[in-house]
Amino acid sequence: MGLTDITARMQAATLAAGRAPGSVTLIAVSKVQPLDRVVAVLEQGHRVFGENYVQEAAAKWPDLRARFDAVSVHMIGPLQTNKAKLAVDLFDAIHTLDRPSLAQKLAGLAQARGTSPQLFVQVNTGAEPQKAGVLPADLSAFVTDCRAMDLPLHGLMCIPPEAEDSTPHFALLAQMAADHGLSGLSMGMSSDFEAAIAHGATHIRVGSAIFGARDYGTNPDKG
């Protein structure tokens, strides 16, 4: 695999779905990847990356942004409220807005800064007790509360249950986004991104298929 293969498959899936070329953003998930692999993908011209850990991103991306132009870094892992200030300085988008306390913190930071990263609400489409995300039944109230705080919601994100067919979860997320007037759909990973594109994904998150297998032995930050 690799970046060229994933990009070609993404473009083919976009065309097959009858969607405009360039309407899907590939987020290369660079968490816990050796720096040389990340640099290699940057040198191939890719500029959109995803990270799960705030401190890992803080150690990696300021230097890389100085070396490469027009880099966009997205937070795709759980965000602790006490790391929100650092996160809004580091990330162009946050895909894991999932609870009122985080919404309130991000709203305060947005007011103070006059700007905010692009925000996606994480929805727990499978209602899995161990997984973060707003339950589908609670989404309308949560979106209303976020908008009342002037938070610039861009879209919804989901991670379907591992043991299930992803397709119904993608369809559900797309319908919920449409119901709430949200254009962004962050869904689909290495194993199912073509199905996600068929259901309207605007952002897909692909890691090891681009970079190779991860080594979690050196993770500097569990939050």
Side-chain angles (χ1 to χ4, degrees):
M1 292 219 196
L3 179 64
T4 302
D5 176 66
I6 296 298
T7 300
R9 288 172 55 191
M10 180 182 78
Q11 291 171 344
T14 303
L15 185 65
R19 298 177 56 191
S23 58
V24 182
T25 297
L26 171 61
I27 301 173
V29 181
S30 47
K31 67 173 184 179
V32 202
Q33 290 289 354
L35 190 60
D36 60 333
R37 293 186 188 176
V38 180
V39 169
V41 173
L42 282 158
E43 288 176 341
Q44 287 180 265
H46 195 71
R47 289 294 181 268
V48 185
F49 293 82
E51 294 285 346
N52 279 50
Y53 309 111
V54 174
Q55 281 166 258
E56 181 186 352
K60 181 188 302 179
W61 285 104
D63 287 346
L64 291 174
R65 284 183 190 273
R67 291 173 58 188
F68 297 92
D69 62 348
V71 170
S72 179
V73 186
H74 294 227
M75 177 63 171
I76 60 170
L79 178 57
Q80 296 174 11
T81 304
N82 65 358
K83 293 181 181 173
K85 187 175 189 303
L86 183 56
V88 299
D89 290 333
L90 280 169
F91 297 107
D92 300 281
I94 294 171
H95 291 238
T96 49
L97 173 55
D98 63 351
R99 59 195 187 278
S101 61
L102 182 57
Q104 291 161 5
K105 183 69 172 181
L106 291 172
L109 291 165
Q111 293 294 332
R113 293 159 53 88
T115 60
S116 172
Q118 209 172 56
L119 298 175
F120 292 76
V121 176
Q122 182 173 352
V123 183
N124 186 351
T125 55
E128 297 174 273
Q130 80 283 9
K131 189 173 284 182
V134 178
L135 293 173
D138 298 332
L139 181 64
S140 290
F142 187 72
V143 168
T144 298
D145 289 346
C146 288
R147 285 175 167 161
M149 299 179 212
D150 290 328
L151 277 177
L153 297 184
H154 180 72
L156 304 179
M157 182 272 253
C158 75
I159 304 171
E162 283 188 29
E164 294 184 21
D165 177 11
S166 298
T167 304
H169 296 273
F170 296 155
L172 174 62
L173 198 74
Q175 184 59 59
M176 289 188 293
D179 290 345
H180 291 91
L182 296 167
S183 60
L185 283 170
S186 174
M187 59 189 196
M189 296 185 281
S190 296
S191 62
D192 56 16
F193 68 82
E194 282 128 330
I197 289 171
H199 283 83
T202 58
H203 295 70
I204 61 172
R205 309 180 303 270
V206 180
S208 54
I210 293 173
F211 295 100
R214 298 185 186 98
D215 175 9
Y216 283 94
T218 57
N219 174 17
D221 175 12
K222 291 295 185 184

